[in-house]
Every structure is written in structure tokens, then in C-alpha cells.
Amino acid sequence: MSLRPILILPDTRLRLTSAPVSGVDDDIRALLDDMLETMYDAPGIGLAAIQVGVAKRVIVVDVAKREGEEEEDVKEPIFLVNPEVVKASEELSVYEEGCLSIPEYYAEVERPERVRVRYLDRLGAMQEMDADGIMATCLQHEIDHLNGVLFIDHISRLKRERVIKKFEKEARRR
Ligand code: GNR
Ligand code: NI
């Protein structure tokens, strides 16, 4: 297992459409393990493969509560290959989102409150999961990444252009 560097806005690879995975083999499992380690290290609650420069339809999430210090080690990782939203509620909800590829910027995004997601697990078996709350938000945020979509695409154009300009300026300084 190893940590991989996370791509930061305005890296153009974040706008790629990731390709479906043809089968879950040991290489994909190694990628999933590196992604999980990278996500926990960041720390974050989700990560898409394109955020470490790999344009494959692979995500990891762990939204387990970590309120007390004692619960720091409670890990509930979920590995999703070729995830798709097969059903979304009409009811919407608003969450304050952030993204490891847009560090230290947060904004409210409105999305379906509940989703059903179909995916392959780390053994390649087809699964379906119903999610709500932060899990539903996180899954939609990650699946967006697979389509080159960032959470700032769901906010006002004024705010989006402002944050993109800020990160372009940062990138020029580095
Ligand atoms: O760590 C993350 N937190 C988060 C908070 C609200 C909504 C979505 C997320 S996902 C984000 C990690 C990330 O960038 N995943 O792509
Ligand atoms: Ni993100």
C-alpha cells in the first residue's frame, strides 16, 4: 500500500471522463487500497481514482462517524467499481461540501436526498446500496468525479469562477 499524490484544481485531468473497469483484478484491488490509504491520510470521506490521476471508474468512501477520540479507529470502508446511480429521490437536500482536489473551499450543494447505487465490490460481485444523508451526498460527489464534474459545477457561476481564479493564481505561484 502506498500514498498517492492528490491532483489539485486546475489540473485538467480532473475534467476527464473515467473509463469503466472491465474486471476487478489484483491491480484494481491495489489501486483501491492505495486510494483508501490516501483518503484516510488526507483525511477525507471519499476519493475517486481520477483524484490520484487514474481515469478508471473506481471510488472509495468511508463516512463512519468519528466523534469521540475513542472512535477514531472505527473504519467502514466501501469500495465501489463502475458505480452508477440507478434511482434518485425527488426530494433534495443541501450539504456543505468540500473536495480534496479543491482544498479549504466549502460550499452548499443541493442534490437528491436518497440514491440507489449499483456497483461491483472488491471481489467483482454486483451490489446495490440505498444511501441517504452524507453517504448519498458523498456517493453523488464521487460519481460526479468519474464524469469530470466537480462540486463547484453545482454552485453559482460567480462563486465558481472566483474559486477557479484563486486556484489558478495559486498554481502559478507554485
Ligand atoms: O472529504 C470529503 N468530504 C466531503 C464533504 C461533503 C461532501 C462531499 C465530500 S467528499 C470529500 C473528499 C473528496 O474530495 N472526494 O472526492
Ligand atoms: Ni472530491
Side-chain angles (χ1 to χ4, degrees), residues 66-86:
R66 279 185 205 80
E67 275 160 23
E69 302 261 311
E70 294 146 45
E71 275 155 81
E72 225 170 50
D73 290 337
V74 178
K75 291 193 166 63
E76 288 175 27
I78 305 175
F79 303 94
L80 303 94
V81 174
N82 298 341
E84 11 170 359
V85 174
V86 294

Side-chain angles (χ1 to χ4, degrees), residues 14 46-48 51 97-102 138 141-142 145 149-151:
L14 292 168
L47 193 72
Q51 292 181 276
E97 299 199 15
C99 182
L100 295 173
S101 297
I102 313 174
C138 187
H141 174 117
E142 303 314 333
H145 274 300
V149 175
L150 301 171
F151 83 93

Side-chain angles (χ1 to χ4, degrees), residues 128-142:
E128 273 188 10
M129 162 180 20
D130 285 312
D132 62 11
I134 187 66
M135 176 66 98
T137 292
C138 187
L139 288 169
Q140 292 173 80
H141 174 117
E142 303 314 333

